[in-house]
């Protein structure tokens, strides 16, 4: 294993790929031009217009004062998060599951939503939705543990218990915005 500055080797490789000349306009390894989706070009990197892998600008949390800020988010997105948590309990007994299509669908929905927001609100919206997901998941887990002694994530949960929990106002109010505190008042 070689430890140290590897930039020289990278530039040598890039120059060999370009007929002996280093091309400073070449995108970072594996990246394509902005028109090809969410990839960052060298210009994006240099100007600070970085995008996440879904092409959403403004999602960097590094030194971002909005990175841990709770903001008002669309009711449709709160409902989407609620449904995702609900599915995790019904399908996977409180676990996240391994269905990549479900994960990708949720990621696409969130990122499409972020694109509708002002750039400076996007990372805060992501934080808010993440906190909502955590809050709902914890509240549901506590309710399941009250009704099914000894239950842990991954163990089967009777569907009638889940029906009762997900119909409870203390859970549904987290989505409707009527809850108190960071039981999610957004």
């Amino acid at each position: 294993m070689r430890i140290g500055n590897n930039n020289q080797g990278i530039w040598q490789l890039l120059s060999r790929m370009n007929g002996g000349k280093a091309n400073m306009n070449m995108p970072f390894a594996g990246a394509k031009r902005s028109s090809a989706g969410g990839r960052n070009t060298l210009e994006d990197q240099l100007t600070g217009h970085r995008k996440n892998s879904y092409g959403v600008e403004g999602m960097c949390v590094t030194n971002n004062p909005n990175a841990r800020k709770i903001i008002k988010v669309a009711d449709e997105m709160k409902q989407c998060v609620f449904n995702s948590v609900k599915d995790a309990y019904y399908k996977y007994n409180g676990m996240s599951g391994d269905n990549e299509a479900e994960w990708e669908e949720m990621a696409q929905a969130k990122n499409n939503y972020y694109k509708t927001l002002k750039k400076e609100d996007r990372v805060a919206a992501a934080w808010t939705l993440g906190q909502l997901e955590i809050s709902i998941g914890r509240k549901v887990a506590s309710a399941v543990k009250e009704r099914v002694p000894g239950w842990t994530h991954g163990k089967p949960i009777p569907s009638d218990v889940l029906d009762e929990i997900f119909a409870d106002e203390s859970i549904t109010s987290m989505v409707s915005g009527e809850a108190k505190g960071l039981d999610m008042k957004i």
Side-chain angles (χ1 to χ4, degrees):
M1 178 165 90
R2 182 175 171 205
I3 299 174
N5 184 352
N6 198 25
N7 287 341
Q8 182 179 5
I10 292 170
W11 287 113
Q12 286 175 350
L13 173 65
L14 291 175
S15 68
R16 272 189 243 130
M17 291 171 52
N18 194 32
K21 296 181 282 183
N23 183 352
M24 297 303 289
N25 293 321
M26 181 180 222
F28 288 108
K32 295 178 178 64
R33 295 279 173 215
S34 293
S35 62
R39 303 292 172 97
N40 290 297
T41 64
L42 180 57
E43 182 181 344
D44 294 331
Q45 294 292 338
L46 295 174
T47 60
H49 295 282
R50 296 178 188 91
K51 302 171 196 79
N52 69 5
S53 60
Y54 291 89
V56 183
E57 195 176 331
M59 299 299 287
C60 183
V61 298
T62 306
N63 297 324
N64 188 334
N66 294 328
R68 290 179 171 236
K69 182 178 172 186
I70 299 291
I71 65 169
K72 183 166 177 44
V73 293
D75 290 340
E76 296 83 25
M77 288 310 300
K78 290 191 283 186
Q79 188 63 50
C80 189
V81 168
F82 177 81
N83 292 341
S84 175
V85 172
K86 189 174 179 179
D87 287 348
Y89 277 90
Y90 277 97
K91 291 180 181 179
Y92 309 111
N93 300 307
M95 304 293 280
S96 59
D98 62 355
N99 187 326
E100 285 186 45
E102 289 174 355
W103 283 59
E104 184 62 26
E105 182 181 343
M106 184 64 170
Q108 285 286 352
K110 286 180 177 179
N111 281 288
N112 288 338
Y113 170 65
Y114 302 147
K115 289 177 185 179
T116 68
L117 303 174
K118 293 185 293 186
K119 189 169 93 170
E120 56 272 8
D121 288 341
R122 293 173 179 173
V123 74
W127 172 259
T128 301
L129 292 174
Q131 293 304 300
L132 177 62
E133 184 174 19
I134 290 167
S135 294
I136 294 170
R138 285 181 178 162
K139 193 150 195 144
V140 171
S142 292
V144 171
K145 287 177 183 179
E146 284 178 17
R147 291 167 176 84
V148 182
W151 177 81
T152 59
H153 287 83
K155 287 188 178 179
I157 308 166
S159 61
D160 61 323
V161 170
L162 288 174
D163 293 343
E164 182 183 321
I165 291 169
F166 281 104
D168 189 297
E169 187 180 335
S170 68
I171 303 289
T172 60
S173 67
M174 296 174 77
V175 176
S176 67
E178 299 164 8
K180 304 284 187 257
L182 185 68
D183 253 348
M184 286 318 273
K185 189 172 113 183
I186 49 177

